Amino acid sequence: MTMEIYYRMVNSRAGKKLKEILNGLIPGLIPEPVPVRVPVRRPEQTGKRQ
């Protein structure tokens, strides 16, 4: 099974229901993704104004 097929299956309506059932039987089996903040580096100002 390729990753593309896996993600399509998991992100479909049936996949969400299956994940809900499996997590009900074994808590934490399929964890929910957690958003992660990534710091963005801003360009340093050189003192020149445009």
Side-chain angles (χ1 to χ4, degrees):
M1 175 184 303
T2 65
M3 292 302 286
E4 181 181 354
I5 295 171
Y6 171 75
Y7 283 117
R8 283 188 187 191
M9 183 180 70
V10 168
N11 292 325
S12 69
R13 185 179 295 170
K16 289 179 183 178
K17 188 66 176 174
L18 177 63
K19 183 168 58 172
E20 182 181 308
I21 292 169
L22 290 174
N23 279 339
L25 294 173
I26 305 171
L29 180 65
I30 304 173
E32 289 292 323
V34 178
V36 178
R37 293 185 58 131
V38 178
V40 177
R41 189 171 196 183
R42 296 182 181 167
E44 296 181 23
Q45 295 179 355
T46 59
K48 295 180 181 178
R49 295 188 185 246
Q50 295 180 356

